[in-house]
Amino acid sequence: MKGVAIAMVSFLLTFAVLVSMVQPSQAITCQQVDTSLLPCISYLENGGTPSNECCNGVRNIKQITPTTPDRRAACECIKQAASRYQSAIKADAASQLPKLCAVDIGVPITPNIDCNQ
């Protein structure tokens, strides 16, 4: 269950990162994305209000993915995780996560995101 939530959160956050700033790139790993989003599992499965730790993880994803290639890589990590655990994650909770964490991504979060855009 935690892997599913992590996957969905990672997917959503990666998408958010795709529209963020551009800076020199450092390779991002799926482990980094999953670790950042681990505190969001409870929120993604149950809804409610994301914890401070969850929102810090969302902010961290945005910070560690400054370039388009970084954001695409993170997006793919989230998609992979989400595809394995999609049934455990509440889509409405996932779509509201950036807003509730006050992280501006500029685009809606959906399970059908195209990481190449």
Side-chain angles (χ1 to χ4, degrees):
M1 288 277 188
K2 289 186 179 181
V4 172
I6 292 174
M8 182 60 145
V9 172
S10 297
F11 172 76
L12 298 175
L13 294 177
T14 300
F15 181 75
V17 174
L18 289 174
V19 288
S20 69
M21 59 189 155
V22 175
Q23 295 177 357
S25 177
Q26 294 181 2
I28 185 166
T29 67
C30 289
Q31 183 177 359
Q32 289 174 290
V33 173
D34 292 350
T35 299
S36 293
L37 298 177
L38 182 63
C40 298
I41 292 173
S42 178
Y43 165 75
L44 291 172
E45 291 179 341
N46 304 307
T49 302
S51 67
N52 287 337
E53 293 82 9
C54 171
C55 289
N56 287 340
V58 173
R59 286 184 204 92
N60 184 56
I61 294 292
K62 185 170 181 172
Q63 288 177 337
I64 65 173
T65 57
T67 67
T68 298
D70 290 334
R71 292 186 293 273
R72 285 185 179 147
C75 180
E76 290 297 337
C77 292
I78 291 169
K79 283 182 77 168
Q80 289 173 14
S83 70
R84 290 186 301 251
Y85 309 102
Q86 190 173 5
S87 63
I89 303 298
K90 292 186 175 191
D92 58 332
S95 69
Q96 290 296 313
L97 184 59
K99 179 180 179 182
L100 293 174
C101 289
V103 176
D104 182 17
I105 61 169
V107 292
I109 295 176
T110 67
N112 300 322
I113 187 69
D114 180 357
C115 295
N116 292 316
Q117 298 215 6

